[in-house]
C-alpha cells in the first residue's frame, strides 16, 4: 500500500518554514490504519521483544498495537511532568532550545529486549534521548521503528549502533 497518499503536508506548522507530515488521514482510514500497523509489525515480527516503548505523543498510536501483537508490554515515554510515579529523565537539545523526556523507573528491567517506536524520525534527538533512558534502565534496544523517516534530516546519525526500520521515506 502506498502510505504516502494518506500523509498530508501542512506548511508552516508548528513553525514558519516547517512542512509537517500529518498522519491524521492515515489514522482516519480504517484500512490504511490496519495495513500500516501490519506493515510495522512485519518489520520486526521475527524479533523477540519484551517491551514496546512509544514516544509521546504520536508514537502512542501504533506502539500499543505492536505490543499487543508481539505479546509484549507497552511503556510510554512522556514529556517532563506527565508521568505519576518515580521517573528517570533525560534532557536533550532541539533545533530551538531543549526538552526533557521521562520514563517510569520500574518500566524496563535489566535485559529486557525493547522496541522503540515513534511516528517520525526527523533529526533523531527524541529517539536518541529515549534510547539513552532505556539503556540507563538496563534495557537492550532491539530496533527503532518509525512510520515516517525524513531522510534529508539525517536522524539515523544520532542512532548509530541501533537497528532502524521505517515504512515511509521522504
Amino acid at each position: 500500500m502506498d502510505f504516502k497518499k494518506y500523509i498530508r503536508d501542512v506548511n508552516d506548522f508548528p513553525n514558519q518554514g516547517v512542512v509537517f507530515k500529518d498522519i491524521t488521514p492515515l489514522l482516519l482510514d480504517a484500512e490504511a490504519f490496519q495495513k500500516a500497523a501490519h506493515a510495522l509489525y512485519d518489520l520486526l515480527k521475527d524479533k523477540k521483544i519484551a517491551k514496546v516503548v512509544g514516544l509521546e505523543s504520536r508514537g502512542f498510536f501504533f506502539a500499543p498495537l505492536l505490543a499487543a501483537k508481539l505479546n509484549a508490554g507497552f511503556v510510554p515515554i512522556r514529556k517532563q511532568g506527565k508521568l505519576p510515579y518515580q521517573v528517570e529523565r533525560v534532557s536533550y537539545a532541539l533545533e530551538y532550545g531543549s526538552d526533557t523526556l521521562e520514563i517510569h523507573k520500574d518500566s524496563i528491567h535489566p535485559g529486557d529486549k525493547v522496541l522503540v517506536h515513534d511516528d517520525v524520525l526527523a533529526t533523531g534527538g527524541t529517539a536518541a534521548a529515549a534510547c539513552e533512558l532505556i539503556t540507563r534502565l538496563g534495557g537492550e534496544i532491539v530496533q527503532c521503528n518509525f512510520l515516517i523517516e525524513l531522510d534529508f534530516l539525517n536522524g539515523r546519525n544520532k542512532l548509530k549502533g541501533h537497528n532502524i526500520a521505517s515504512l515511509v521515506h521522504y
Side-chain angles (χ1 to χ4, degrees):
M1 173 174 264
D2 180 13
F3 296 112
K4 282 186 177 181
K5 71 181 191 177
Y6 297 96
I7 300 168
R8 69 177 154 217
D9 288 346
V10 179
N11 292 319
D12 300 321
F13 183 83
N15 299 313
Q16 187 74 23
V18 173
V19 179
F20 183 79
K21 298 298 185 192
D22 181 12
I23 65 170
T24 305
L26 185 140
L27 299 173
L28 288 170
D29 186 286
E31 181 182 5
F33 185 41
Q34 289 176 18
K35 286 192 177 192
H38 288 297
L40 286 165
Y41 173 73
D42 286 343
L43 295 174
L44 55 98
K45 64 182 175 188
D46 296 327
K47 296 179 174 24
K48 301 289 185 211
I49 306 288
K51 304 281 175 54
V52 176
V53 171
L55 307 185
E56 184 174 342
S57 68
R58 295 185 322 158
F60 293 172
F61 297 138
F62 288 102
L65 298 173
L66 293 170
K69 287 185 81 62
L70 292 164
N71 197 30
F74 168 68
V75 178
I77 285 186
R78 305 226 35 209
K79 302 285 173 132
Q80 186 171 3
K82 304 277 180 124
L83 292 172
Y85 191 62
Q86 297 172 356
V87 297
E88 184 73 29
R89 74 176 46 94
V90 65
S91 294
Y92 63 102
L94 295 170
E95 190 173 351
Y96 302 103
S98 66
D99 210 343
T100 301
L101 293 179
E102 296 180 336
I103 189 171
H104 279 145
K105 285 185 176 185
D106 63 353
S107 62
I108 304 287
H109 301 103
D112 278 351
K113 306 292 187 209
V114 178
L115 169 71
V116 175
H117 175 77
D118 202 3
D119 65 321
V120 176
L121 174 58
T123 63
T126 304
C131 290
E132 181 179 334
L133 286 172
I134 293 161
T135 302
R136 278 190 205 167
L137 296 177
E140 297 174 21
I141 299 160
V142 173
Q143 186 163 298
C144 296
N145 248 29
F146 303 93
L147 179 65
I148 300 168
E149 185 170 346
L150 304 177
D151 298 325
F152 59 93
L153 292 176
N154 300 312
R156 284 178 177 253
N157 292 342
K158 287 192 179 158
L159 297 174
K160 287 209 185 295
H162 296 295
N163 185 24
I164 301 164
S166 305
L167 279 187
V168 178
H169 291 264
Y170 289 95

